[in-house]
Amino acid sequence: MKQPGKLLRSISNKRIEPAAAMLKQIIKAEYELEKLLPQSRLQSRPPTELLSAALKWSELVWQGAEKLGTMHLTPTQIAHGLALRRRPVFICGVHRSGTTLVQNLLDNHPQLSVLPSEGTYYTNQLLKLKQLPPSQRAKYLGTEWLRRMVNPINQQPYWLLGRSDEGGSRYVDFARYVLAWWDILPHTENTQWPHLAIVLAYASCANNLTALSWVDKTPTNERFLHRIWVEFPDAKIVHVVRNPVATLTSRKVMEPDIRLRNALRHLRLSYRVATDKATTNDPRFFLLRYEYLCDTPDVILPQLAGFLNIDLSPSLYQPTTGGMNTHANSSFKTDASHGAILKTNSHSQQEVFTSADKKLIAAYVGKEAALLGYPVDKINSFDKLYAHLRYALFN
């Protein structure tokens, strides 16, 4: 397991007392937040009291970081960080396609710095940042990521940077690194530079600025490949695809209110991007089928390591989050061992779609799915026409 780097202390004698008082508040808020963290996987939106406690705690941490000031970075650290920023790996694919498993398998690799939660910069954070005055943007993004460091996906493991104590808080350190990189990075419009402040702060906290690449997992980022490659010409893309019925079933279970029409639209777009890019033989693009990864990791993981130019480390076979064993790759088999890769036939799904739904799935994404090696049940012309009309009018 990668161990976090040593805490950097830069508090002068005259600041010891305020720092001690600040830490007491943070530790107290952590205790209150810990009591509200779910003991099992959340199947719905987090409760209001949990969100409120997390917000209160992150605000306290950010205030503490601002009082102490930006973390000092040496010229060597700055040089390593500015070089690392140009070497991203983006894991993408629709929601519930298996992107989390890929992220978790890369998480603890010694040559990578892997963000422990979804990046969501283009899909979510960019719009929110644009709605804020520039003076508030660092705090917004920094506190958002502080909360993600505690609770990445509403299930264990939590507290990815450890717990604060009287000796210090690695969350305050992380926030101070965010402030430092926010000042250092070029503020270039229409780029991910604010996100890079988070990326480099996390790598700094883990003493991992010399990593070969940093890794961001964000479902649906395949919609932004052109934009990504304009900003990062050498960026590597790992696009994960999965059987359409399995993908949609998993999504329906985890998001009961989602409309099948919207899920199908996202799925077809993702499949089309995967097919188009795979046929170009672009050396920056790796198409990964979830089922192949689960059933033949000894074949797929060496290929993935070769694509990323990293060693075939034993850590690739052990899914983790922040270096800690994480849940097995199933939303249905909740009793599976942590840190395991389940084969596709060992975590069967519940039935959630009617026969009419399955005809709609076949009609709408059948062609694209077949091109990716996922044959679906054939339907006659009348049923196909009816399914398309149902999609257009009723879903």
Side-chain angles (χ1 to χ4, degrees), residues 17 52 66 70 80 83 88 106 116 120 178 184 192 211 263 275 296 320 324 341 360 374 376 378 386:
E17 288 306 318
S52 297
E66 289 185 321
T70 62
H80 285 316
L106 296 178
T120 67
V178 172
I184 291 168
Q192 292 193 53
T275 302
T296 58
T320 60
M324 295 179 279
I341 305 175
L360 177 59
Y374 297 118
V376 296
K378 292 184 178 181
Y386 173 77

Side-chain angles (χ1 to χ4, degrees), residues 161-230:
L161 298 180
R163 295 296 296 273
S164 303
D165 56 32
E166 291 138 357
S169 171
R170 299 195 66 243
Y171 300 98
V172 173
D173 290 343
F174 170 78
R176 295 177 67 198
Y177 277 124
V178 172
L179 289 169
W181 285 110
W182 196 275
D183 289 343
I184 291 168
L185 289 165
H187 293 201
T188 308
E189 288 294 322
N190 298 316
T191 70
Q192 292 193 53
W193 76 263
H195 185 51
L196 287 173
I198 301 298
V199 169
L200 296 180
Y202 185 63
S204 299
C205 254
N207 195 25
N208 200 22
L209 288 171
T210 57
L212 292 181
S213 298
W214 58 273
V215 182
D216 173 301
K217 186 270 284 193
T218 300
T220 74
N221 245 359
E222 60 270 24
R223 295 178 296 174
F224 305 101
L225 292 191
H226 175 74
R227 193 170 181 177
I228 288 171
W229 275 327
V230 167

Side-chain angles (χ1 to χ4, degrees), residues 78-375:
I78 293 172
H80 285 316
L82 293 179
L84 176 60
R85 68 174 170 149
R86 302 183 184 279
R87 303 191 297 266
V89 175
F90 291 95
I91 303 169
C92 59
V94 294
H95 293 279
R96 317 305 304 171
S97 62
T99 55
T100 298
L101 175 60
V102 179
Q103 175 194 36
N104 291 345
L105 292 174
L106 296 178
D107 170 75
N108 209 29
H109 196 285
Q111 294 171 294
L112 300 173
S113 179
V114 183
L115 285 175
S117 185
E118 292 181 1
T120 67
Y121 185 74
Y122 283 138
T123 61
N124 185 275
Q125 300 303 322
L126 177 58
L127 178 60
K128 292 184 177 181
L129 288 174
K130 285 183 174 180
Q131 295 170 343
L132 294 172
S135 61
Q136 297 180 18
R137 292 172 183 174
K139 178 182 177 181
Y140 165 77
L141 199 59
T143 53
E144 169 71 22
W145 272 93
L146 282 167
R147 296 190 291 274
R148 295 185 189 189
M149 293 296 167
V150 172
N151 181 12
I153 54 173
N154 292 311
Q155 66 178 31
Q156 296 178 345
Y158 302 124
W159 304 107
L160 301 187
L161 298 180
R163 295 296 296 273
S164 303
D165 56 32
E166 291 138 357
S169 171
R170 299 195 66 243
Y171 300 98
V172 173
D173 290 343
F174 170 78
R176 295 177 67 198
Y177 277 124
V178 172
L179 289 169
W181 285 110
W182 196 275
D183 289 343
I184 291 168
L185 289 165
H187 293 201
T188 308
E189 288 294 322
N190 298 316
T191 70
Q192 292 193 53
W193 76 263
H195 185 51
L196 287 173
I198 301 298
V199 169
L200 296 180
Y202 185 63
S204 299
C205 254
N207 195 25
N208 200 22
L209 288 171
T210 57
L212 292 181
S213 298
W214 58 273
V215 182
D216 173 301
K217 186 270 284 193
T218 300
T220 74
N221 245 359
E222 60 270 24
R223 295 178 296 174
F224 305 101
L225 292 191
H226 175 74
R227 193 170 181 177
I228 288 171
W229 275 327
V230 167
E231 184 177 356
F232 305 107
D234 297 323
K236 295 190 175 183
I237 308 297
V238 179
H239 189 156
V240 187
V241 295
R242 186 183 184 187
N243 177 280
V245 174
T247 302
L248 294 167
T249 298
S250 183
R251 190 161 189 194
K252 183 67 175 176
V253 169
M254 299 304 293
E255 304 172 64
D257 296 331
I258 191 170
R259 297 178 66 188
L260 182 56
R261 174 178 181 171
N262 293 336
L264 280 171
R265 185 174 70 253
H266 297 158
L267 185 60
R268 183 163 71 173
L269 175 59
S270 185
Y271 279 175
R272 286 180 173 177
V273 172
T275 302
D276 291 344
K277 295 302 178 185
T279 56
T280 64
N281 294 317
D282 191 323
R284 302 170 298 177
F285 184 86
F286 186 87
L287 179 62
L288 192 156
R289 293 173 176 82
Y290 172 76
E291 294 82 4
Y292 291 7
L293 174 60
C294 294
D295 296 339
T296 58
D298 289 335
V299 175
I300 302 302
L301 289 174
Q303 294 176 5
L304 180 60
F307 170 72
L308 299 177
N309 295 319
I310 58 175
D311 297 336
L312 187 61
S313 167
S315 66
L316 282 174
Y317 295 84
Q318 186 81 13
T320 60
T321 299
M324 295 179 279
N325 283 349
T326 192
H327 281 273
N329 51 303
S330 174
S331 301
F332 303 91
K333 193 175 178 63
T334 56
D335 60 342
S337 300
H338 289 201
I341 305 175
L342 299 180
K343 293 187 180 298
T344 51
N345 63 5
S346 67
H347 54 292
S348 58
Q349 298 175 313
Q350 62 193 65
E351 191 68 61
V352 299
F353 293 122
T354 65
S355 59
D357 289 334
K358 291 180 179 178
K359 288 180 180 179
L360 177 59
I361 294 169
Y364 198 72
V365 298
K367 178 181 177 181
E368 290 78 9
L371 290 173
L372 292 168
Y374 297 118

Side-chain angles (χ1 to χ4, degrees), residues 17-31 60 164-166:
E17 288 306 318
M22 171 195 74
L23 277 173
K24 285 183 179 179
Q25 294 182 60
I26 291 171
I27 292 169
K28 181 180 178 182
E30 278 189 18
Y31 175 75
L60 284 171
S164 303
D165 56 32
E166 291 138 357

